[in-house]
Amino acid sequence: MRPQQSRSLVFLQQLGSGVREGYAALPGLEGTLAALYAGARRTWPDVALAEEDFLRHLAGCLPRDEDPARVLATVHAADLYLACACARGDAAALVTLERHVLPKAAGSVARLKASGVDPAEVFQLLRERLLVSEGDRPARMAEYQGGGPLAAWLRAAAVRTALNLQRAERRRAHAEEEAEALPLSPGAGMAEVELAYLRKNHQEHFQAALSDALNALPTRERTVLRLHVVEGLSLERIGTMYQTHKSTVSRWVARAREAALEGTRQRLAERLRLTSGELHSLMRVVQGELDFSLPSLLSRPGSS
């Protein structure tokens, strides 16, 4: 803390007008803020976060329409301190999170293991979603606001991630079953026979090529596609997250799909020795199965 700046000043500077006045009027605000910071340091002694950074983060997380005294009395300041340090990529904070907080969320996901969800995969994906920043956008761990225990917030996030993986896997399995069970009519033409052959013999090649094409997308387009396809967020909601209009998000999604298809085509052309006609037919299969394959592939660790 710089000598010329009090804790209260650092904290209040982050609040908007109409909110700042309520907190400024609190008796003993300086002491309250000092106590919150000191308590957080005692809770997580191995994590070093500057007091100014903590106070700014605290101010940015507080609800604007509730009683200031009650808010400061009930906020989970120590968990906010740890979440802020994790969002900043602090190594000690990440170790602390792994040792002391994430294990508390593991039980809720372990109960879903019988349904085919791998807890290790869930938490790997959760780490990537919460702890990795995307361009100018901070890591999503910064979205935790201290209204409840951090462990409970992570538990809910882990369950959502597990359910998304479960739904994606069910869609993929259902699509594969339908494709395998699709009978050819006795009078099927050569085009239909060819498509069935390509679908059966090149499914793994298609999945691998599409996966590589998705991983090659720019981070923003891959993330927006995942948010829309896997997590089911509306274009308007994603636009709010990126502070842009939903029409722009729509263009991002369309561009990502087109780039994924083109990248898949290029990779299949490189890996398979198909005639131009066979490649054209295979791409018809790819386009038809794209919507079934995207949720599963985008849900995999390393795809976001």
Side-chain angles (χ1 to χ4, degrees), residues 153-197:
W153 187 81
L154 289 171
R155 207 159 33 237
V159 169
R160 284 196 302 272
T161 301
L163 292 176
N164 284 336
L165 281 173
Q166 188 181 70
R167 284 192 291 267
E169 181 60 25
R170 285 175 178 170
R171 287 194 293 267
R172 183 196 62 78
H174 179 67
E176 289 183 354
E177 289 174 1
E178 285 189 338
E180 291 175 359
L182 186 64
L184 289 177
S185 62
M190 287 302 297
E192 188 175 351
V193 173
E194 181 184 28
L195 287 177
Y197 173 84

Side-chain angles (χ1 to χ4, degrees), residues 66-302:
E66 297 185 20
D67 176 61
R70 190 196 69 78
V71 168
L72 290 181
T74 58
V75 67
H76 290 254
D79 283 352
L80 264 181
Y81 177 94
L82 178 61
C84 178
C86 285
R88 290 168 168 262
D90 181 83
L94 296 174
V95 170
T96 299
L97 185 77
E98 289 285 341
R99 289 178 178 174
H100 301 290
V101 185
L102 280 179
K104 296 178 181 178
S108 57
V109 175
R111 290 192 290 272
L112 297 173
K113 189 173 183 179
S115 62
V117 173
D118 182 1
E121 183 179 2
V122 170
F123 278 95
Q124 180 59 28
L125 185 58
L126 187 66
R127 291 182 188 95
E128 294 174 0
R129 289 181 175 176
L130 295 182
L131 302 175
V132 178
S133 59
E134 299 168 355
D136 295 332
R137 184 171 176 266
R140 293 171 69 179
M141 181 65 80
E143 296 175 8
Y144 167 69
Q145 296 186 326
L150 178 58
W153 187 81
L154 289 171
R155 207 159 33 237
V159 169
R160 284 196 302 272
T161 301
L163 292 176
N164 284 336
L165 281 173
Q166 188 181 70
R167 284 192 291 267
E169 181 60 25
R170 285 175 178 170
R171 287 194 293 267
R172 183 196 62 78
H174 179 67
E176 289 183 354
E177 289 174 1
E178 285 189 338
E180 291 175 359
L182 186 64
L184 289 177
S185 62
M190 287 302 297
E192 188 175 351
V193 173
E194 181 184 28
L195 287 177
Y197 173 84
L198 291 170
R199 178 183 288 112
K200 178 180 178 181
N201 289 276
H202 295 302
Q203 181 68 25
E204 291 186 6
H205 292 110
F206 155 58
Q207 293 287 331
L210 178 57
S211 178
D212 290 347
L214 289 171
N215 288 332
L217 290 175
T219 300
R220 185 186 65 190
E221 292 185 6
R222 186 170 66 252
T223 301
V224 167
L225 192 61
R226 175 178 55 78
L227 291 172
H228 187 55
V229 172
V230 178
E231 301 190 16
L233 297 189
S234 67
L235 299 178
E236 187 172 7
R237 173 73 184 280
I238 299 172
T240 300
M241 294 170 60
Y242 281 89
Q243 297 182 335
T244 190
H245 194 270
K246 66 178 182 180
S247 62
T248 300
V249 178
S250 178
R251 288 194 295 272
W252 289 349
V253 171
R255 187 163 61 232
R257 289 172 61 90
E258 291 172 3
L261 277 172
E262 176 58 23
T264 301
R265 190 195 67 77
Q266 292 176 359
R267 286 164 174 80
L268 289 174
E270 292 169 359
R271 298 171 186 177
L272 304 176
R273 295 184 176 180
L274 301 176
T275 66
S276 59
E278 288 173 330
L279 182 59
H280 177 73
S281 296
L282 183 56
M283 288 309 298
R284 287 172 57 196
V285 176
V286 169
Q287 288 179 291
E289 297 188 357
L290 182 65
D291 289 335
F292 292 113
S293 299
L294 281 178
S296 176
L297 294 174
L298 287 168
S299 296
R300 293 178 183 176

